[in-house]
Amino acid sequence: MTSELSFEEIKKHTDKTSTWIVINNDVFDVTRFLNEHPGGEEVLLEQAGKDASEAFEDVGHSSDAREMMLKYKVGTLVASERKPEQPKKSTVDWKETSESSESSLKSWIIPVALGLAATIIYRLYFMS
Ligand code: HEM
């Protein structure tokens, strides 16, 4: 259903009447979404016709946002123009990714646990 698109085609859609952006090698038509984007239409228009993967990841979009964008997908980049996958993206090869996702989970747990411990100590000693 989705088609393979090249930047030659994508670059034709860079204004409010038709706005396409590329995120992680997928092409999105966000024209209908411009008004609804919580981050504003300007940022999307700025990225129109371009690869916005980095800008998109920098914002730290929620999983809701990632789900929402599927509605706007119109195709994928042609193989010759694709970039290597961002490590964050959940694609097919689970065996290969399981190790890295495990270690990223660990790297979250430690700071969160420290933060919790600090909060508890603070409350016990300073707020009674
Ligand atoms: C189809 C693509 C996109 C979708 C569906 C989307 C969706 C969203 C959603 C739902 C939020 C609210 C916060 C959250 O749930 O994470 C958000 C916030 C934001 N987005 Fe996007 N976004 C897209 C692309 C982009 C791109 C390409 C950029 C940057 C160039 C961008 C910049 C921002 C910014 C700066 C915010 C933060 C607004 C704030 O916290 O005040 N977004 N986006």
Side-chain angles (χ1 to χ4, degrees), residues 21-23 28-30 33 36-40 43-44 46-47 52-53 55-56 59-70 72:
I21 51 177
V22 178
I23 297 171
F28 300 92
D29 177 351
V30 293
F33 183 61
E36 292 167 33
H37 183 220
V43 285
L44 296 181
E46 214 171 88
Q47 299 296 328
S53 310
F56 182 84
V59 172
H61 279 90
S62 64
S63 48
D64 271 1
R66 284 161 204 276
E67 211 168 288
M68 203 183 267
M69 66 200 274
L70 298 177
Y72 304 103

mmCIF file of all heavy atoms in Angstrom, residues 21-23 28-30 33 36-40 43-44 46-47 52-53 55-56 59-70 72, ligand 1:
data_model
loop_
_atom_site.group_PDB
_atom_site.id
_atom_site.type_symbol
_atom_site.label_atom_id
_atom_site.label_comp_id
_atom_site.label_asym_id
_atom_site.label_seq_id
_atom_site.Cartn_x
_atom_site.Cartn_y
_atom_site.Cartn_z
ATOM 1 N N ILE A 21 7.335 15.146 5.376
ATOM 2 C CA ILE A 21 8.613 15.056 6.076
ATOM 3 C C ILE A 21 9.054 13.603 6.199
ATOM 4 O O ILE A 21 8.232 12.691 6.161
ATOM 5 C CB ILE A 21 8.583 15.702 7.489
ATOM 6 C CG1 ILE A 21 7.417 15.179 8.311
ATOM 7 C CG2 ILE A 21 8.563 17.206 7.436
ATOM 8 C CD1 ILE A 21 7.394 15.730 9.715
ATOM 9 N N VAL A 22 10.359 13.439 6.340
ATOM 10 C CA VAL A 22 10.932 12.097 6.468
ATOM 11 C C VAL A 22 11.395 11.894 7.904
ATOM 12 O O VAL A 22 12.105 12.733 8.448
ATOM 13 C CB VAL A 22 12.139 11.934 5.512
ATOM 14 C CG1 VAL A 22 12.779 10.564 5.682
ATOM 15 C CG2 VAL A 22 11.714 12.162 4.068
ATOM 16 N N ILE A 23 10.927 10.821 8.531
ATOM 17 C CA ILE A 23 11.398 10.477 9.876
ATOM 18 C C ILE A 23 11.752 9.003 9.885
ATOM 19 O O ILE A 23 10.918 8.152 9.559
ATOM 20 C CB ILE A 23 10.333 10.791 10.958
ATOM 21 C CG1 ILE A 23 10.040 12.298 10.996
ATOM 22 C CG2 ILE A 23 10.809 10.320 12.330
ATOM 23 C CD1 ILE A 23 8.855 12.687 11.860
ATOM 24 N N PHE A 28 6.084 11.027 5.682
ATOM 25 C CA PHE A 28 4.792 11.397 6.262
ATOM 26 C C PHE A 28 4.226 12.629 5.584
ATOM 27 O O PHE A 28 4.949 13.607 5.369
ATOM 28 C CB PHE A 28 4.950 11.674 7.768
ATOM 29 C CG PHE A 28 5.463 10.486 8.528
ATOM 30 C CD1 PHE A 28 6.826 10.311 8.727
ATOM 31 C CD2 PHE A 28 4.583 9.525 9.002
ATOM 32 C CE1 PHE A 28 7.305 9.201 9.409
ATOM 33 C CE2 PHE A 28 5.049 8.414 9.687
ATOM 34 C CZ PHE A 28 6.422 8.246 9.886
ATOM 35 N N ASP A 29 2.939 12.566 5.262
ATOM 36 C CA ASP A 29 2.231 13.731 4.759
ATOM 37 C C ASP A 29 1.513 14.367 5.953
ATOM 38 O O ASP A 29 0.460 13.885 6.383
ATOM 39 C CB ASP A 29 1.226 13.281 3.684
ATOM 40 C CG ASP A 29 0.403 14.453 3.156
ATOM 41 O OD1 ASP A 29 0.485 15.558 3.734
ATOM 42 O OD2 ASP A 29 -0.330 14.254 2.164
ATOM 43 N N VAL A 30 2.103 15.444 6.478
ATOM 44 C CA VAL A 30 1.570 16.040 7.704
ATOM 45 C C VAL A 30 0.697 17.264 7.438
ATOM 46 O O VAL A 30 0.397 18.025 8.351
ATOM 47 C CB VAL A 30 2.705 16.409 8.690
ATOM 48 C CG1 VAL A 30 3.384 15.162 9.219
ATOM 49 C CG2 VAL A 30 3.719 17.353 8.053
ATOM 50 N N PHE A 33 -2.108 17.619 9.587
ATOM 51 C CA PHE A 33 -1.690 17.590 10.987
ATOM 52 C C PHE A 33 -1.096 18.934 11.430
ATOM 53 O O PHE A 33 -0.957 19.187 12.637
ATOM 54 C CB PHE A 33 -0.675 16.456 11.156
ATOM 55 C CG PHE A 33 -0.190 16.246 12.554
ATOM 56 C CD1 PHE A 33 -1.073 15.910 13.572
ATOM 57 C CD2 PHE A 33 1.161 16.376 12.862
ATOM 58 C CE1 PHE A 33 -0.621 15.714 14.866
ATOM 59 C CE2 PHE A 33 1.617 16.178 14.154
ATOM 60 C CZ PHE A 33 0.725 15.839 15.160
ATOM 61 N N GLU A 36 -2.803 20.689 14.126
ATOM 62 C CA GLU A 36 -3.009 19.908 15.344
ATOM 63 C C GLU A 36 -1.719 19.648 16.115
ATOM 64 O O GLU A 36 -1.756 19.223 17.262
ATOM 65 C CB GLU A 36 -3.620 18.548 14.988
ATOM 66 C CG GLU A 36 -5.036 18.641 14.463
ATOM 67 C CD GLU A 36 -5.473 17.332 13.830
ATOM 68 O OE1 GLU A 36 -5.037 16.268 14.285
ATOM 69 O OE2 GLU A 36 -6.245 17.393 12.843
ATOM 70 N N HIS A 37 -0.586 19.869 15.476
ATOM 71 C CA HIS A 37 0.681 19.511 16.116
ATOM 72 C C HIS A 37 0.924 20.329 17.389
ATOM 73 O O HIS A 37 0.992 21.549 17.331
ATOM 74 C CB HIS A 37 1.838 19.733 15.131
ATOM 75 C CG HIS A 37 3.162 19.314 15.677
ATOM 76 N ND1 HIS A 37 4.320 20.034 15.465
ATOM 77 C CD2 HIS A 37 3.503 18.245 16.430
ATOM 78 C CE1 HIS A 37 5.313 19.419 16.074
ATOM 79 N NE2 HIS A 37 4.856 18.333 16.668
ATOM 80 N N PRO A 38 1.067 19.644 18.547
ATOM 81 C CA PRO A 38 1.287 20.383 19.797
ATOM 82 C C PRO A 38 2.566 21.228 19.756
ATOM 83 O O PRO A 38 2.676 22.206 20.480
ATOM 84 C CB PRO A 38 1.408 19.277 20.854
ATOM 85 C CG PRO A 38 0.748 18.088 20.242
ATOM 86 C CD PRO A 38 0.982 18.195 18.767
ATOM 87 N N GLY A 39 3.508 20.845 18.919
ATOM 88 C CA GLY A 39 4.753 21.616 18.797
ATOM 89 C C GLY A 39 4.647 22.750 17.786
ATOM 90 O O GLY A 39 5.631 23.447 17.545
ATOM 91 N N GLY A 40 3.469 22.939 17.201
ATOM 92 C CA GLY A 40 3.259 24.048 16.262
ATOM 93 C C GLY A 40 3.552 23.680 14.823
ATOM 94 O O GLY A 40 4.275 22.722 14.553
ATOM 95 N N VAL A 43 7.537 24.341 13.115
ATOM 96 C CA VAL A 43 8.624 23.363 13.134
ATOM 97 C C VAL A 43 8.451 22.321 12.036
ATOM 98 O O VAL A 43 9.430 21.863 11.452
ATOM 99 C CB VAL A 43 8.766 22.661 14.509
ATOM 100 C CG1 VAL A 43 9.403 23.574 15.525
ATOM 101 C CG2 VAL A 43 7.451 22.127 15.023
ATOM 102 N N LEU A 44 7.202 21.972 11.755
ATOM 103 C CA LEU A 44 6.960 20.982 10.707
ATOM 104 C C LEU A 44 7.267 21.582 9.336
ATOM 105 O O LEU A 44 7.897 20.942 8.495
ATOM 106 C CB LEU A 44 5.509 20.483 10.760
ATOM 107 C CG LEU A 44 5.100 19.719 12.016
ATOM 108 C CD1 LEU A 44 3.652 19.279 11.915
ATOM 109 C CD2 LEU A 44 5.995 18.508 12.239
ATOM 110 N N GLU A 46 9.309 23.920 8.708
ATOM 111 C CA GLU A 46 10.757 24.089 8.628
ATOM 112 C C GLU A 46 11.434 22.811 8.141
ATOM 113 O O GLU A 46 12.435 22.840 7.461
ATOM 114 C CB GLU A 46 11.265 24.415 10.031
ATOM 115 C CG GLU A 46 12.443 25.364 10.082
ATOM 116 C CD GLU A 46 12.684 25.749 11.522
ATOM 117 O OE1 GLU A 46 13.430 25.030 12.210
ATOM 118 O OE2 GLU A 46 12.079 26.748 11.972
ATOM 119 N N GLN A 47 10.856 21.674 8.537
ATOM 120 C CA GLN A 47 11.449 20.375 8.178
ATOM 121 C C GLN A 47 10.873 19.811 6.881
ATOM 122 O O GLN A 47 11.287 18.737 6.441
ATOM 123 C CB GLN A 47 11.197 19.357 9.300
ATOM 124 C CG GLN A 47 11.797 19.722 10.637
ATOM 125 C CD GLN A 47 13.308 19.766 10.608
ATOM 126 O OE1 GLN A 47 13.942 19.022 9.863
ATOM 127 N NE2 GLN A 47 13.886 20.652 11.393
ATOM 128 N N ALA A 52 13.729 14.745 8.986
ATOM 129 C CA ALA A 52 13.532 15.393 10.286
ATOM 130 C C ALA A 52 13.790 14.426 11.444
ATOM 131 O O ALA A 52 13.419 14.713 12.579
ATOM 132 C CB ALA A 52 12.119 15.944 10.374
ATOM 133 N N SER A 53 14.443 13.281 11.155
ATOM 134 C CA SER A 53 14.624 12.255 12.194
ATOM 135 C C SER A 53 15.274 12.827 13.442
ATOM 136 O O SER A 53 14.818 12.603 14.561
ATOM 137 C CB SER A 53 15.497 11.112 11.680
ATOM 138 O OG SER A 53 15.042 10.663 10.449
ATOM 139 N N ALA A 55 15.639 15.994 14.497
ATOM 140 C CA ALA A 55 14.799 16.984 15.189
ATOM 141 C C ALA A 55 13.686 16.272 15.950
ATOM 142 O O ALA A 55 13.383 16.604 17.096
ATOM 143 C CB ALA A 55 14.219 17.962 14.175
ATOM 144 N N PHE A 56 13.108 15.265 15.320
ATOM 145 C CA PHE A 56 12.010 14.523 15.936
ATOM 146 C C PHE A 56 12.482 13.802 17.200
ATOM 147 O O PHE A 56 11.821 13.852 18.239
ATOM 148 C CB PHE A 56 11.437 13.512 14.933
ATOM 149 C CG PHE A 56 10.277 12.728 15.460
ATOM 150 C CD1 PHE A 56 8.989 13.251 15.407
ATOM 151 C CD2 PHE A 56 10.461 11.464 16.005
ATOM 152 C CE1 PHE A 56 7.902 12.529 15.904
ATOM 153 C CE2 PHE A 56 9.381 10.740 16.502
ATOM 154 C CZ PHE A 56 8.109 11.273 16.450
ATOM 155 N N VAL A 59 13.353 16.059 20.349
ATOM 156 C CA VAL A 59 12.221 16.524 21.147
ATOM 157 C C VAL A 59 11.815 15.448 22.167
ATOM 158 O O VAL A 59 11.237 15.758 23.203
ATOM 159 C CB VAL A 59 11.023 16.873 20.225
ATOM 160 C CG1 VAL A 59 9.775 17.177 21.016
ATOM 161 C CG2 VAL A 59 11.384 18.029 19.321
ATOM 162 N N GLY A 60 12.163 14.188 21.881
ATOM 163 C CA GLY A 60 11.773 13.102 22.764
ATOM 164 C C GLY A 60 10.278 12.855 22.707
ATOM 165 O O GLY A 60 9.603 12.800 23.718
ATOM 166 N N HIS A 61 9.762 12.750 21.497
ATOM 167 C CA HIS A 61 8.324 12.529 21.313
ATOM 168 C C HIS A 61 7.832 11.283 22.063
ATOM 169 O O HIS A 61 8.529 10.281 22.128
ATOM 170 C CB HIS A 61 8.004 12.396 19.826
ATOM 171 C CG HIS A 61 7.899 13.710 19.120
ATOM 172 N ND1 HIS A 61 8.982 14.323 18.540
ATOM 173 C CD2 HIS A 61 6.847 14.527 18.908
ATOM 174 C CE1 HIS A 61 8.587 15.462 17.997
ATOM 175 N NE2 HIS A 61 7.299 15.612 18.207
ATOM 176 N N SER A 62 6.639 11.357 22.582
ATOM 177 C CA SER A 62 6.045 10.264 23.357
ATOM 178 C C SER A 62 5.658 9.100 22.449
ATOM 179 O O SER A 62 5.640 9.239 21.221
ATOM 180 C CB SER A 62 4.793 10.769 24.062
ATOM 181 O OG SER A 62 3.834 11.149 23.094
ATOM 182 N N SER A 63 5.306 7.971 23.070
ATOM 183 C CA SER A 63 4.858 6.836 22.262
ATOM 184 C C SER A 63 3.506 7.155 21.613
ATOM 185 O O SER A 63 3.195 6.661 20.543
ATOM 186 C CB SER A 63 4.782 5.559 23.098
ATOM 187 O OG SER A 63 4.102 5.802 24.288
ATOM 188 N N ASP A 64 2.722 8.010 22.259
ATOM 189 C CA ASP A 64 1.468 8.481 21.654
ATOM 190 C C ASP A 64 1.748 9.163 20.322
ATOM 191 O O ASP A 64 1.068 8.927 19.325
ATOM 192 C CB ASP A 64 0.777 9.508 22.559
ATOM 193 C CG ASP A 64 -0.159 8.841 23.538
ATOM 194 O OD1 ASP A 64 -0.235 7.598 23.509
ATOM 195 O OD2 ASP A 64 -0.789 9.564 24.329
ATOM 196 N N ALA A 65 2.760 10.043 20.351
ATOM 197 C CA ALA A 65 3.118 10.779 19.135
ATOM 198 C C ALA A 65 3.562 9.806 18.043
ATOM 199 O O ALA A 65 3.204 9.957 16.878
ATOM 200 C CB ALA A 65 4.221 11.788 19.437
ATOM 201 N N ARG A 66 4.337 8.792 18.447
ATOM 202 C CA ARG A 66 4.838 7.812 17.475
ATOM 203 C C ARG A 66 3.696 6.998 16.860
ATOM 204 O O ARG A 66 3.745 6.589 15.709
ATOM 205 C CB ARG A 66 5.850 6.879 18.145
ATOM 206 C CG ARG A 66 7.179 7.549 18.356
ATOM 207 C CD ARG A 66 8.031 6.862 19.391
ATOM 208 N NE ARG A 66 8.981 7.810 19.953
ATOM 209 C CZ ARG A 66 10.144 8.105 19.413
ATOM 210 N NH1 ARG A 66 10.536 7.501 18.320
ATOM 211 N NH2 ARG A 66 10.937 9.004 19.960
ATOM 212 N N GLU A 67 2.687 6.749 17.661
ATOM 213 C CA GLU A 67 1.537 6.003 17.165
ATOM 214 C C GLU A 67 0.716 6.889 16.217
ATOM 215 O O GLU A 67 0.256 6.458 15.175
ATOM 216 C CB GLU A 67 0.682 5.586 18.347
ATOM 217 C CG GLU A 67 -0.038 4.285 18.140
ATOM 218 C CD GLU A 67 -0.629 3.804 19.449
ATOM 219 O OE1 GLU A 67 0.158 3.374 20.311
ATOM 220 O OE2 GLU A 67 -1.843 3.923 19.604
ATOM 221 N N MET A 68 0.591 8.141 16.655
ATOM 222 C CA MET A 68 -0.198 9.118 15.898
ATOM 223 C C MET A 68 0.359 9.309 14.487
ATOM 224 O O MET A 68 -0.377 9.416 13.514
ATOM 225 C CB MET A 68 -0.065 10.445 16.650
ATOM 226 C CG MET A 68 -1.134 11.436 16.422
ATOM 227 S SD MET A 68 -0.670 12.920 17.355
ATOM 228 C CE MET A 68 -1.484 12.660 18.879
ATOM 229 N N MET A 69 1.681 9.303 14.373
ATOM 230 C CA MET A 69 2.271 9.613 13.083
ATOM 231 C C MET A 69 2.009 8.535 12.032
ATOM 232 O O MET A 69 2.036 8.821 10.836
ATOM 233 C CB MET A 69 3.776 9.896 13.229
ATOM 234 C CG MET A 69 4.609 8.717 13.647
ATOM 235 S SD MET A 69 6.163 9.284 14.321
ATOM 236 C CE MET A 69 7.123 9.455 12.829
ATOM 237 N N LEU A 70 1.695 7.322 12.481
ATOM 238 C CA LEU A 70 1.433 6.247 11.527
ATOM 239 C C LEU A 70 0.285 6.594 10.583
ATOM 240 O O LEU A 70 0.257 6.181 9.433
ATOM 241 C CB LEU A 70 1.119 4.939 12.261
ATOM 242 C CG LEU A 70 2.247 4.385 13.139
ATOM 243 C CD1 LEU A 70 1.794 3.138 13.870
ATOM 244 C CD2 LEU A 70 3.488 4.089 12.301
ATOM 245 N N TYR A 72 -0.239 9.251 9.188
ATOM 246 C CA TYR A 72 0.165 10.187 8.133
ATOM 247 C C TYR A 72 1.207 9.611 7.182
ATOM 248 O O TYR A 72 1.688 10.292 6.295
ATOM 249 C CB TYR A 72 0.691 11.481 8.777
ATOM 250 C CG TYR A 72 -0.335 12.087 9.712
ATOM 251 C CD1 TYR A 72 -0.225 11.961 11.085
ATOM 252 C CD2 TYR A 72 -1.437 12.760 9.191
ATOM 253 C CE1 TYR A 72 -1.196 12.489 11.934
ATOM 254 C CE2 TYR A 72 -2.402 13.288 10.027
ATOM 255 C CZ TYR A 72 -2.281 13.145 11.397
ATOM 256 O OH TYR A 72 -3.238 13.666 12.227
HETATM 257 C C1 HEM B 1 4.297 13.144 12.051
HETATM 258 C C2 HEM B 1 5.193 13.681 12.819
HETATM 259 C C3 HEM B 1 4.931 14.245 14.204
HETATM 260 C C4 HEM B 1 3.954 13.938 15.105
HETATM 261 C C5 HEM B 1 2.805 12.934 14.970
HETATM 262 C C6 HEM B 1 4.183 14.763 16.275
HETATM 263 C C7 HEM B 1 3.393 14.759 17.410
HETATM 264 C C8 HEM B 1 3.651 15.486 18.548
HETATM 265 C C9 HEM B 1 2.925 15.352 19.795
HETATM 266 C C10 HEM B 1 1.756 14.398 20.031
HETATM 267 C C11 HEM B 1 3.469 16.220 20.663
HETATM 268 C C12 HEM B 1 3.066 16.428 22.148
HETATM 269 C C13 HEM B 1 4.108 15.833 23.056
HETATM 270 C C14 HEM B 1 4.278 14.348 22.868
HETATM 271 O O1 HEM B 1 3.268 13.614 22.931
HETATM 272 O O2 HEM B 1 5.431 13.901 22.642
HETATM 273 C C15 HEM B 1 4.531 16.918 19.986
HETATM 274 C C16 HEM B 1 5.327 17.905 20.540
HETATM 275 C C17 HEM B 1 6.357 18.544 19.896
HETATM 276 N N1 HEM B 1 6.804 18.303 18.620
HETATM 277 FE FE1 HEM B 1 6.029 16.945 17.337
HETATM 278 N N2 HEM B 1 5.277 15.558 16.057
HETATM 279 C C18 HEM B 1 5.777 15.266 14.812
HETATM 280 C C19 HEM B 1 6.880 15.817 14.205
HETATM 281 C C20 HEM B 1 7.679 16.782 14.752
HETATM 282 C C21 HEM B 1 8.884 17.315 14.165
HETATM 283 C C22 HEM B 1 9.464 16.894 12.833
HETATM 284 C C23 HEM B 1 9.360 18.250 15.045
HETATM 285 C C24 HEM B 1 10.593 19.107 14.987
HETATM 286 C C25 HEM B 1 11.128 19.604 14.013
HETATM 287 C C26 HEM B 1 8.477 18.322 16.157
HETATM 288 C C27 HEM B 1 8.606 19.176 17.227
HETATM 289 C C28 HEM B 1 7.848 19.161 18.365
HETATM 290 C C29 HEM B 1 8.087 20.009 19.516
HETATM 291 C C30 HEM B 1 9.154 21.084 19.635
HETATM 292 C C31 HEM B 1 7.164 19.614 20.481
HETATM 293 C C32 HEM B 1 7.089 20.115 21.900
HETATM 294 C C33 HEM B 1 6.012 21.052 22.195
HETATM 295 C C34 HEM B 1 6.051 21.431 23.660
HETATM 296 O O3 HEM B 1 6.414 20.583 24.510
HETATM 297 O O4 HEM B 1 5.727 22.561 23.937
HETATM 298 N N3 HEM B 1 7.468 17.403 15.971
HETATM 299 N N4 HEM B 1 4.621 16.456 18.689
#
